[in-house]
Amino acid sequence: MFGRTRLTGVLVGSLADLVLGDPRHGHPVAGFGAVAAAVERFTYRDSRLAGALHVGVLIGALGLFGATAQHFAARRGSVWSVGVTGAATWIALGGTSLARTGSAMSELLGRGDIDGARELLPSLCGRDPDLLDADGLARAAVESVAENTSDAQVAPLLWAAISGVPGVLVYRGINTLDSMIGHRSPRHARFGWAAARLDDVANYVAARVTATLVAVCAPIVGGSPSAALSVWRRDAARHPSPNAGVVEAAFAGALGVRLGGPTHYQYGLQIRPTLGDGPAPTVADLRRAVRLSMAVQLAAAAVVSAAARSGR
C-alpha cells in the first residue's frame, strides 16, 4: 500500500508546496472549480439526486484522469512515477498558502487594518467579513487555520500516500465541491447534500490524525497535549461537522482559547457551540495558531518520510 516510489513522490510534492506554495497562475484546482460551476448550469435541480449525479460525474472523471496518469507514469518508470505523484500532491496541497494567509491576516489585525482584514478573509473561509469586528475576524481566522490544516495539508498527504495520484486528485475534487456547494445555503441545501456527506467521509480519518498531531505539537506554542486531547474528547461532538469539530476543538485546547459562537455566513447566521475553556482568541493567538499549523504540517510530512525510509 505504501510503496517507496509513491511516498517519495508525495514528499517531492510536499517539498514543492513548502518552497513554492500554490501555483501562481492557472491553478488546476481553480480550473476544476470553473468546470464544476459550468457543469452545474446543466445539472442543477433542487434535489439530492441531482446533486449526487453532479458529484458522481465530476469526481468519476477526475478519478479516471488520475488513474490514467498514474498508469502512464508507471509504464515509463520510477522517475516518471515520482514526478507525476509529486505534481498531483503539490496541486492538492495548500498548507504553505494557508500559513502565509494566516500570517498576513495577523499582520493586518495587528496594525488595526480592519478593512484589509475583511478583504483578505474570503481567502481563508466563507464567513461574511462585513459583519465581523477585529475579534470576530481573529476567531474566524483561527478556526479556518485549524480546519484547513486538516483539509489542505494532512488529508491530501494521507490520500496521496494511500492511493496515489487518483486518490489525491479525487480527494481535492471532493473537498472543492464541498466548498462550492456543500454549505447549507438555500440553493444548495439539497443539491449540495452529497458533496457535503462525501467530504465528511473523505476527511474522517485525516481530521483525527490532525488532532492527534495537534496534541503532539502543542508544546511548540506553549500549549498542553493533555488540554488538546481533553477538549477534543469533550467538545468535538458539539460541532455540526464531524471533522471540523475534532480539529477545532484540539486547536482550542492546545492554544487555551475558546472557539465557536455566532458565525455569520453570506446565507445567514449559525450559532455554533463553544469549544474550549479559555478567552476568545486574540491576534497573538492567531499567530500561535499559524505556528501550530506549520508544526503539524511538518510532522505529517515527517511521518510520510519515515514510512518511505522503511518501505520495501
Side-chain angles (χ1 to χ4, degrees), residues 39-222:
V39 170
E40 185 180 340
R41 291 199 291 267
F42 299 95
T43 58
Y44 179 80
R45 302 290 187 277
D46 188 18
S47 76
R48 289 183 175 183
L49 178 59
L53 291 173
H54 175 77
V55 171
V57 167
L58 289 166
I59 297 303
L62 202 56
L64 179 61
F65 172 79
T68 302
Q70 182 166 275
H71 178 71
F72 173 82
R75 294 187 63 181
R76 296 277 176 166
S78 60
V79 173
W80 274 81
S81 291
V82 168
V84 170
T85 302
T89 303
W90 177 42
I91 288 168
L93 290 173
T96 296
S97 294
L98 172 66
R100 289 174 180 172
T101 306
S103 295
M105 176 67 77
S106 70
E107 291 174 6
L108 290 168
L109 291 174
R111 61 173 182 259
D113 187 354
I114 303 302
D115 289 338
R118 286 172 174 161
E119 185 176 349
L120 181 62
L121 187 66
S123 298
L124 281 172
C125 60
R127 311 282 175 89
D128 187 346
D130 293 335
L131 299 176
L132 298 177
D133 58 10
D135 291 340
L137 289 164
R139 193 201 105 198
V142 170
E143 291 173 352
S144 181
V145 166
E147 181 178 0
N148 284 295
T149 299
S150 177
D151 289 2
Q153 187 68 22
V154 177
L157 281 178
L158 290 180
W159 278 103
I162 292 169
S163 52
V165 177
V168 73
L169 293 184
V170 163
Y171 168 76
R172 179 47 65 198
I174 291 170
N175 192 246
T176 301
L177 289 177
D178 178 58
S179 68
M180 294 177 67
I181 65 174
H183 297 298
R184 290 191 175 278
S185 64
R187 173 178 170 86
H188 293 130
R190 284 180 284 273
F191 185 76
W193 179 86
R197 298 291 77 76
L198 192 58
D199 186 73
D200 288 342
V201 173
N203 278 296
Y204 188 87
V205 172
R208 285 143 185 86
V209 171
T210 303
T212 301
L213 293 176
V214 167
V216 171
C217 296
I220 293 174
V221 293

